Amino acid sequence: MVKHQAAEIVTVPCLADNYAFLIHDSATGATALVDAPEAGPIQSELTARGWRLTDILITHHHHDHIDGVEALRAAHGATVWGAAADAHRLPALDHALAEGDRVSVGDLEGVVLDVSGHTVGHIAFHFPGAGAVFTGDSLMALGCGRLFEGTAPMMWKSLQKLRALPGQTLVCSGHEYTMANGRFAQSIEPENSDLISRLERIAAARRDDRPTVPSVLSEEIATNPFLRADHPDLLAAIGHGGDGGAAVFADIRRRKDQF
Ligand code: ZN
Ligand code: FE
């Protein structure tokens, strides 16, 4: 898999608890940024690596994901990609995207998924060759974004799309919220042994000030309560008799908002 080896993914901490990501295609030298919380740390990372930014990919319209776009576009002449549905509230787009559209970063190709829920018009970028999905504030490590604009059934559908990707996919999400998410996850499924061991590794990472993002999709499926709203173990843990799904997801999301 030449393309897999050619892709380098760098996590860039921004603001208080945001993450941006660089995707570098060593074959062509192209470099994409996913989300631009602020320009400074991203520019520093590009300079340190000697990379020129060719593309900016936007997941959703919140300011902590777009505020650095214009400065970086101006500095690099980068091409900006984002959701057509959000074109009215995003920086000017060179490419307006909808579900199923392709984005190209040098020789690397990504596919757009509509993952509305946190906002309506939120998209994710799946790069199969790089083995990574960039989820913004939809699926997060041990959590998911708050439902500011969309509905619970909408977010549940979005999470199911992400859950269907290959298990080894790296989930590159937008925030370091993992410790707080973990405390909540434990309140839902205290007996989940995969969760217990993951929480130990997360606590160790945070003690050393290491990011817990990206995470691995298979691990999210085993431990993230928002991906488990139809899993027999989670349903048993909360005493739900049925098959679960959107209604249980809605219940878990509500509990998290009050946690
Ligand atoms: Zn957001
Ligand atoms: Fe955010």
Side-chain angles (χ1 to χ4, degrees), residues 19 140-143 171 173 175-186 192-216 219-225:
Y19 290 125
M140 297 185 178
L142 280 177
V171 180
S173 56
H175 289 271
E176 183 63 60
Y177 291 161
T178 317
M179 281 291 276
N181 287 343
R183 281 190 282 274
F184 173 72
Q186 199 165 32
N192 180 336
S193 56
D194 292 327
L195 176 60
I196 292 166
S197 64
R198 185 176 179 192
L199 290 173
E200 286 168 8
R201 280 177 281 124
I202 286 165
R206 295 312 293 152
R207 269 196 302 274
D208 299 344
D209 212 25
R210 281 182 285 118
T212 62
V213 174
S215 55
V216 179
E219 201 167 28
E220 295 301 335
I221 292 171
T223 57
N224 184 327

Side-chain angles (χ1 to χ4, degrees), residues 2 16 20 22 49 54 60 80 84 91 99 102 104 106 122 125 144-145 150 166 174 176 187 193 199 204 233 255:
V2 170
L22 295 172
R49 291 173 183 272
T54 52
H60 69 295
V80 179
E99 172 138 307
R102 313 265 154 172
S104 48
H122 193 308
F125 301 92
C144 75
E176 183 63 60
S187 79
S193 56
L199 290 173
D233 292 353
R255 294 191 200 199

Side-chain angles (χ1 to χ4, degrees), residues 19-86:
Y19 290 125
F21 299 92
L22 295 172
I23 313 167
H24 181 70
D25 175 28
S26 16
T28 62
T31 303
L33 168 70
V34 182
D35 286 345
E38 57 177 337
I42 294 162
Q43 184 54 59
S44 301
E45 194 68 47
L46 289 165
T47 304
R49 291 173 183 272
W51 293 350
R52 189 178 64 83
L53 193 61
T54 52
D55 299 272
I56 301 173
L57 279 45
I58 302 172
T59 63
H60 69 295
H61 74 91
H62 285 155
H63 74 89
D64 62 314
H65 299 258
I66 63 172
D67 276 0
V69 168
E70 291 305 355
L72 292 162
R73 184 208 314 255
H76 297 270
T79 299
V80 179
W81 311 67
D86 266 352

